[in-house]
Amino acid sequence: MAEDLVIIGSGPAGLAAAVEAARAGVKVTVVDENASPGGQLFKQIHKFFGSEEHQAGIRGIDIGYRLLEECHLAKVKVMLNTAAWGIFHSSGNATTVAIKNKNDSLCSLDTKVVLLATGARENPLAFPGWTLPGVMGAGAAQTLINLHRIRPGNRVLMIGSGNVGLIVSYQLKQAGADIAAVIDIKPEIGGWGVHAAKLTRTGIPILCSHKIIEVRGLDKVEEAHVARVDREAKSIPGSEKLFKVDTVCIAVGLSPMAELAWSGGCRFAYLPELGGHVPVHNRSMETTRNNIYIAGDISGIEEASTAMEEGKIAGISIARSLGLLKNECAEELIRNKEKNLSALRGGPMGKTRKLAKEKLIRLFNIC
Amino acid sequence: MKKSAQAVIIGGGIIGCAAAYYLAKEIDDVILIEKKCIAGESSGANYGMVWQQTRQDGYDLAAARRSLEIYPQLCREVFDLDIEYEEKGGMTLFFTDLQAEAAKGYVEYKNSLGVPVRLLSGKETRSLEPALSSRVTGSLFCAEEAQLNPFYTTLAFARAAQKEGATIYQGVEVLSINLDRGAVCSISTSEGKIFTNHVINAAGSWAGTVGAMVGLKVPVFPHRLQSLVTEQIPKLLTRTIQGSRIARTSEEAAKTFQYAYDTTGGNRPCINQQPPAECIIESSLFYAKPTVNGNIVLGTACDFAGYNRETSYEALAVIAHMAKMIIPRLKDVNIIRSWANFDPWTADGIPIVGETGVKGFFIAAGHGTGMSHAPATGEALAGLITGSAAAIPLGEANINRFTGYREEC
């Protein structure tokens, strides 16, 4: 058998797990379909919150460099431009990870344990004109400005006032774009006050109880029509507003990228608080299929900080399951990370997620 | 749930639904019981081929030809949804000169049975299907063959049956079939008991389980077929194609078109015969079906794995390699789905249809050819039960062709 542990996804969860496991002596290979590692971390040029333990005050991009350095020191193998497309149970106890490498040829990795740290994808939103060039996910716009240094447009309407919508609006502004408005169908702003305040200080209007009606343009976005909505989210006649924009960004939430867990036969639960269908897992981050672990947004939409803590728990648990960490030692480490997670899941928004995550673990035990 | 019926059909696949339609036309109170949902198993996951060139002489071919006759009429007069039935002809590809030689004899034989199959050169084949690789040295083409959407077709039969008065219960499981002096008198289900004198076992790969309820051994086994589905792409193929196994020796080539079970010397399949144990993924036939929506369904890799529904890396890789070799432009096409289903398998490749040693208990199962056979099977079965004249004789398809069957009764 070639590998101890194959980690799919080199974002915060995958890299944090790789470091923990490799330090304990696990032979780790990380695969990622992108050309560079780090997942979303390298797009996150803002400072993180939380306590010092959670690297608060450090920018996401710097956390990414730090993790990569630690992976390098721990001799973690990283395969880039490599897409994993299936998880199969081979004879015996092995798991086969089917991959496609940069030469486009099919091959596979046999491994004792798999960790799925595939992250999330942006939810789409369909409205008349949504396929016009210029309509894009907020995450895509963020990738363009922060990674590729390309401004997607000059005047932007942002749909969604969650943290992603607020942060990306601010970063688009920093990149030199005008933000016409941030709209949200809900009556309150979805994201944290601190991000909203930064935006409003620059004079960008945040319009709650507003929804997109239509985007128009000949062969690209030229104008966006929005309207105020009533309590049933129906548009109020006469309240229509027209924004002359060339870009419309959609930030209406994320969904776990869990296809590989489906393909691996893991049991799922539907928990809207966590972004939809998520694989059920236990305290060790192991799913209902032996030797398939998950960490990060695939196990419920949260933040990079919680993803890293979950990744560490998975890495430690995997090292224990392979006999490379004593149980008492692993237990103490895990309890420590659980304390961190608990702190990160404080506050009213964190609490909903905390309860949902606890439910996910309870569901594991009922099977 | 209804308390009694003239006939109860077990299984909501294409065979059960077709039987329900033809029976409901003749008699009142037909009930169909399905454990999951209509077309929830193999009938919703196959290549939708209505072919005759690959069918064996006798019942198998007669049922396919009769179905090719009936389908256009069903589409015109009966079905209330478009089943995407297209008579585009079917094509079996081969890859070596030795196979081209073997094909000549096969075409003569098939023509003598009335199957209008023609031998095409590699060039002629590519003029019909330009996307095919130059490795294709020729093909067998039969214009009188069709393709359809298997899911819609099963649903269309179910709806036609309901229109004729049949009742369909989905999500209901049959627990036992009760006999009175050796004859069927009722069935017990998860939702209650139904009194009936006729039960039709149309449970496909689960026909053995249903047969055991009346003490019969029904030798149908789940044959796992795996498939890949491509994204929607501009038209690449016109019709469904089948690729033969590559033959490099004349011995192998002679077997290329040998679909028939060897019955020489009175050799009959045995009721206790188990499916072959060895893995046959490597030697599976290739299928490519262009759907109306622009996806291409690619198969297949077969093996026997019980009721394990998982796909395997080995099988999917084999299909991908075959697809790339035969249709090179698929190299850059994305795969959006893969699935495994249980094609019902019998030792001689012929389904089991007809009455049994248990009075009132009928079988219509074991169809690896459900789409090709369904209308003819449903029609013949309804004729058998109601006593009207049969369009095709069912004798050869009876379960008593298996040696050892009588001892079981």
Side-chain angles (χ1 to χ4, degrees):
Chain A
M1 182 173 302
E3 314 286 339
D4 281 346
L5 168 62
V6 171
I7 298 178
I8 299 164
S10 69
L15 292 181
V19 171
E20 290 294 330
R23 278 181 184 162
V26 179
K27 218 175 112 198
V28 185
T29 299
V30 181
V31 303
D32 197 301
E33 63 182 338
N34 295 296
S36 54
Q40 307 303 305
L41 276 176
F42 286 89
K43 291 161 50 173
Q44 298 182 343
I45 55 171
H46 59 282
K47 290 177 183 169
F48 277 42
F49 296 132
S51 66
E52 206 166 304
E53 175 76 13
H54 311 127
Q55 323 204 32
I58 302 178
R59 296 178 196 279
I61 182 168
D62 296 324
I63 297 174
Y65 284 124
R66 192 182 286 183
L67 272 175
L68 282 180
E69 176 65 21
E70 285 172 349
C71 279
H72 179 71
L73 291 174
K75 295 198 167 52
V76 172
K77 188 172 147 199
V78 183
M79 294 168 72
L80 298 171
N81 297 304
T82 305
W85 56 268
I87 303 284
F88 301 95
H89 302 280
S90 329
S91 47
N93 234 350
T95 301
T96 300
V97 179
I99 57 174
K100 195 183 107 168
N101 62 19
K102 56 184 154 200
N103 308 323
D104 254 7
S105 57
L106 296 181
C107 42
S108 65
L109 297 170
D110 282 346
T111 179
K112 289 177 190 158
V113 182
V114 179
L115 169 64
L116 304 175
T118 44
R121 79 162 58 81
E122 301 195 84
N123 292 334
L125 183 69
F127 46 81
W130 74 305
T131 57
L132 274 176
V135 179
M136 68 182 73
Q142 194 186 30
T143 304
L144 283 173
I145 49 174
N146 292 354
L147 282 185
H148 304 295
R149 307 295 165 120
I150 293 165
R151 192 169 61 232
N154 292 319
R155 202 166 151 76
V156 184
L157 176 76
M158 177 67 67
I159 305 173
S161 70
N163 279 333
V164 172
L166 298 175
I167 291 171
V168 174
S169 294
Y170 190 76
Q171 292 175 353
L172 279 163
K173 174 97 185 162
Q174 287 177 312
D178 273 343
I179 312 299
V182 177
I183 65 166
D184 202 303
I185 197 162
K186 294 206 191 84
E188 306 96 26
I189 294 172
W192 288 334
V194 52
H195 292 310
K198 263 163 91 180
L199 269 190
T200 43
R201 276 201 299 272
T202 65
I204 296 170
I206 302 177
L207 307 174
C208 290
S209 298
H210 276 71
K211 77 170 176 189
I212 184 88
I213 304 295
E214 185 178 3
V215 169
R216 287 192 199 152
L218 197 60
D219 49 8
K220 58 180 172 35
V221 175
E222 286 167 21
E223 54 187 47
H225 296 251
V226 306
R228 204 145 51 77
V229 295
D230 61 18
R231 279 173 191 208
E232 270 91 53
K234 287 199 193 92
S235 47
I236 300 169
S239 72
E240 292 86 358
K241 292 182 185 66
L242 187 155
F243 292 102
K244 291 272 181 196
V245 291
D246 57 10
T247 305
V248 173
C249 287
I250 300 167
V252 292
L254 303 168
S255 296
M257 271 212 292
E259 289 82 357
L260 288 172
W262 287 113
S263 126
C266 304
R267 201 154 60 79
F268 276 65
Y270 182 72
L271 294 168
E273 312 92 292
L274 296 177
H277 290 280
V278 281
V280 172
H281 64 80
N282 62 15
R283 256 187 79 213
S284 310
M285 303 308 298
E286 190 174 16
T287 65
T288 52
R289 286 307 283 253
N290 284 348
N291 301 324
I292 299 183
Y293 289 70
I294 53 173
D297 276 355
I298 184 182
S299 73
I301 306 299
E302 293 189 271
E303 279 101 29
S305 352
T306 45
M308 286 184 280
E309 297 298 333
E310 283 194 342
K312 287 175 192 167
I313 292 177
I316 294 160
S317 306
I318 291 164
R320 173 175 59 183
S321 81
L322 293 170
L324 294 164
L325 263 185
K326 281 215 181 75
N327 190 35
E328 310 84 72
C329 173
E331 227 5 83
E332 199 191 320
L333 287 167
I334 289 172
R335 264 200 298 274
N336 185 15
K337 311 296 171 208
E338 281 176 339
K339 231 181 281 165
N340 294 345
L341 271 176
S342 192
L344 283 166
R345 289 171 184 152
M349 263 187 288
K351 197 161 182 198
T352 319
R353 287 203 308 266
K354 188 178 177 189
L355 291 173
K357 290 295 287 192
E358 282 166 7
K359 192 171 170 192
L360 203 57
I361 290 171
R362 271 206 311 282
L363 285 168
F364 181 93
N365 296 325
I366 312 177
C367 64
Chain B
M1 184 184 241
K2 290 190 172 180
K3 296 269 180 285
S4 71
Q6 283 209 52
V8 175
I9 298 156
I10 302 171
I14 183 95
I15 299 297
C17 291
Y21 164 67
Y22 283 103
L23 266 175
K25 270 177 45 164
E26 304 296 325
I27 57 176
D28 296 332
D29 293 330
V30 173
I31 290 179
L32 185 149
I33 292 180
E34 163 56 44
K35 185 168 71 177
K36 287 172 72 182
C37 59
I38 297 299
E41 293 286 352
S42 199
S43 294
N46 62 75
Y47 313 115
M49 294 157 71
V50 188
W51 276 31
Q52 51 173 327
Q53 62 173 290
T54 46
R55 309 277 40 100
Q56 301 178 40
D57 186 22
Y59 169 78
D60 190 17
L61 181 60
R65 287 178 65 93
R66 176 71 185 146
S67 296
L68 280 161
E69 245 172 67
I70 307 176
Y71 267 124
Q73 184 209 345
L74 288 169
C75 293
R76 276 195 313 272
E77 296 163 17
V78 178
F79 292 158
D80 63 356
L81 67 141
D82 179 8
I83 65 163
E84 299 170 2
Y85 188 84
E86 297 175 295
E87 270 181 14
K88 290 177 164 177
M91 196 180 251
T92 303
L93 313 175
F94 48 82
F95 308 95
T96 65
D97 293 340
L98 288 169
Q99 285 175 304
E101 209 44 48
K104 280 181 196 159
Y106 185 71
V107 165
E108 260 172 49
Y109 166 65
K110 280 285 158 177
N111 289 347
S112 77
L113 300 174
V115 179
V117 66
R118 289 188 293 139
L119 183 62
L120 301 184
S121 68
K123 207 175 150 199
E124 288 167 323
T125 303
R126 273 183 295 281
S127 74
L128 287 176
E129 294 291 355
L132 294 174
S133 137
S134 57
R135 291 187 62 175
V136 174
T137 56
S139 66
L140 295 178
F141 180 69
C142 179
E144 289 174 30
E145 287 178 344
Q147 60 197 60
L148 48 72
N149 180 318
F151 188 81
Y152 287 159
T153 307
T154 310
L155 211 55
F157 266 125
R159 281 157 62 153
Q162 284 173 316
K163 232 183 242 172
E164 293 290 348
T167 307
I168 296 178
Y169 295 112
Q170 300 183 65
V172 174
E173 198 169 345
V174 174
L175 305 174
S176 66
I177 300 167
N178 314 307
L179 306 181
D180 179 23
R181 276 157 289 174
V184 169
C185 69
S186 69
I187 71 163
S188 303
T189 77
S190 53
E191 303 280 311
K193 199 170 186 178
I194 303 169
F195 289 92
T196 184
N197 295 121
H198 299 99
V199 165
I200 295 138
N201 174 2
S205 287
W206 288 263
T209 314
V210 172
M213 291 178 184
V214 294
L216 280 184
K217 201 168 258 176
V218 180
V220 176
F221 298 91
H223 194 200
R224 180 169 68 169
L225 303 190
Q226 299 186 40
S227 302
L228 298 172
V229 183
T230 72
E231 61 189 323
Q232 294 179 358
I233 51 172
K235 189 173 133 186
L236 196 59
L237 287 179
T238 299
R239 56 185 64 72
T240 304
I241 57 164
Q242 172 183 286
S244 59
R245 298 177 188 99
I246 297 175
R248 293 200 171 78
T249 66
S250 47
E251 224 175 19
E252 280 173 9
K255 283 188 196 153
T256 297
F257 308 105
Q258 206 176 74
Y259 304 104
Y261 181 78
D262 181 17
T263 50
T264 50
N267 189 7
R268 290 163 66 203
C270 173
I271 199 94
N272 289 316
Q273 199 168 332
Q274 292 291 318
E278 78 270 25
C279 181
I280 50 175
I281 282 175
E282 292 293 338
S283 60
S284 299
L285 296 172
F286 175 73
Y287 295 96
K289 185 214 177 181
T291 68
V292 167
N293 290 335
N295 313 82
I296 299 180
V297 185
L298 300 165
T300 186
C302 336
D303 62 355
F304 293 95
Y307 292 98
N308 176 2
R309 200 186 292 278
E310 287 179 1
T311 52
S312 69
Y313 172 76
E314 186 197 12
L316 298 184
V318 163
I319 299 168
H321 282 300
M322 285 195 292
K324 244 163 66 173
M325 189 269 282
I326 296 170
I327 310 167
R329 276 165 62 192
L330 286 177
K331 187 172 95 54
D332 298 315
V333 173
N334 288 311
I335 299 297
I336 57 166
R337 249 197 311 283
S338 65
W339 40 257
N341 75 310
F342 303 123
D343 214 31
W345 180 93
T346 63
D348 58 3
I350 295 174
I352 301 169
V353 184
E355 68 267 78
T356 65
V358 176
K359 193 163 178 267
F361 187 77
F362 299 81
I363 302 174
H367 293 76
T369 54
M371 299 299 142
S372 295
H373 276 196
T377 306
E379 186 190 49
L381 202 65
L384 182 69
I385 290 169
T386 61
S388 50
I392 54 163
L394 280 172
E396 282 176 47
N398 197 282
I399 191 167
N400 63 20
R401 71 177 183 274
F402 290 86
T403 60
Y405 168 71
R406 279 179 204 293
E407 293 86 88
E408 292 293 324
C409 291

